Amino acid sequence: MYAAELVEIALTTLKCSQKELALRLGVSPTQVTKWKNGEHMSSEMEKRLRELSKIGDADPSLVVWAGSPRAAKQWREVIKYLADMANEGGETGYNTAPLSDAAGDEMTLDILCGQTVLTLNDMGVAPPKAFPTDLKNALADEEPYELFDEHPLANLIGKIYSAYTDVYGFYVAYVDELLEDDDGNPIDGFDDIEPCLLSLAASKLEIAQPDVEVRRDIKVGLAFAPNFLEFKRKTEKDYKRWMTKLKNRAIRTGAPLRAEIMDMVYDSHDSLGHKAEAEALGFNNSNLHPDMYMNELITGMRMIHQILPKILDKLDIKFTPDMARLRADEARWQSTQEADED
């Protein structure tokens, strides 16, 4: 999974060539090249590279992004703190498990660090050249939040996590239950919806003009994240496809939708947070399991009723529905349904 990153770290740490690294590992230089291109690496070889690079169990992608194992450890502490602060500030009524669990579970924190680095890279945010001095001072402070808030990169990560609490709350309230069948087993074809929620949250941040730097009052500046618009377009495109597929499945199987799940794609994170909070507080209890897609069907029928007569007039077609035949067809259909149930 981290073959390319491990090779890069080893080459940087050991200050050697690919050929020299291959000799140390007892493999061919061609194999090292394959690893750099993403070919699978055995767990034994991964362990050897970690030992040579002296990174221990650190996430290789975070080490590459941060510039050194020491800086990666420091950024890990920043990410852990910002995740905890965002989770505490969440107001949806739902626990943002990837953030809350990161405070006490090392594996969850590693996953969050990796997802955060991937998201920032996709947005085009330049990796830090070294761990900033002002963040070192913040880590030593008893209440470092304001110092983190003043640093552009830490500020951006904090804003992403805050948006994440809203998006994740909506996901838990309205989408998560649709991803399992009646027996509680995961449905195939929707594996990316939850893991990519951090990217979806980041895509919902407000943007500033290209010549404006990120400040406290600005979510993300295009000068700071030059690939943001393309990142946003791709993320929305992916989620539109996944949500459309999920919604169509719900319609086919008769699964009730307690909210318009396409809102997760197009609504702001604030709006998603408010809807999740309403669900958590029970404001939707008076409308138990409404079929949200019925509104679309009714709207479509109304459009047909408006347009079809005009088409018939244009074609000079006279049409009068045979109500007796329609009632007979409905009775036969009802009889068939009852027989199937028996």
Side-chain angles (χ1 to χ4, degrees), residues 253-318:
T253 59
L257 301 176
R258 291 181 293 111
E260 175 47 71
I261 61 174
M262 291 301 291
D263 289 348
M264 198 163 83
V265 183
Y266 300 114
D267 273 17
S268 68
H269 69 84
D270 287 329
S271 176
L272 296 180
H274 292 324
K275 290 175 181 178
E277 184 179 16
E279 179 69 18
L281 294 175
F283 291 164
N284 296 334
N285 287 347
S286 59
N287 298 317
L288 289 177
H289 301 298
D291 291 338
M292 300 301 294
Y293 44 78
M294 284 301 296
N295 180 60
E296 297 179 20
L297 297 177
I298 293 171
T299 301
M301 291 299 295
R302 286 173 178 166
M303 291 180 65
I304 291 173
H305 290 164
Q306 293 174 9
I307 296 171
L308 188 57
K310 297 183 183 298
I311 295 175
L312 294 176
D313 286 343
K314 286 284 186 181
L315 297 175
D316 196 24
I317 297 175
K318 305 300 180 183

Side-chain angles (χ1 to χ4, degrees), residues 4 16 26 33 155 162 180 199 216 234 240 257 289 330 342:
C16 66
T33 301
N155 173 282
S162 293
E180 296 180 349
S199 291
R216 280 186 173 190
K234 182 183 182 303
K240 180 181 178 181
L257 301 176
H289 301 298
E330 181 180 1
D342 294 339

Side-chain angles (χ1 to χ4, degrees), residues 176-197:
D176 188 33
E177 63 185 6
L178 300 174
L179 301 178
E180 296 180 349
D181 60 22
D182 294 338
D183 297 324
N185 300 314
I187 300 170
D188 293 336
F190 301 102
D191 297 341
D192 293 324
I193 290 179
E194 183 175 359
C196 294
L197 287 175

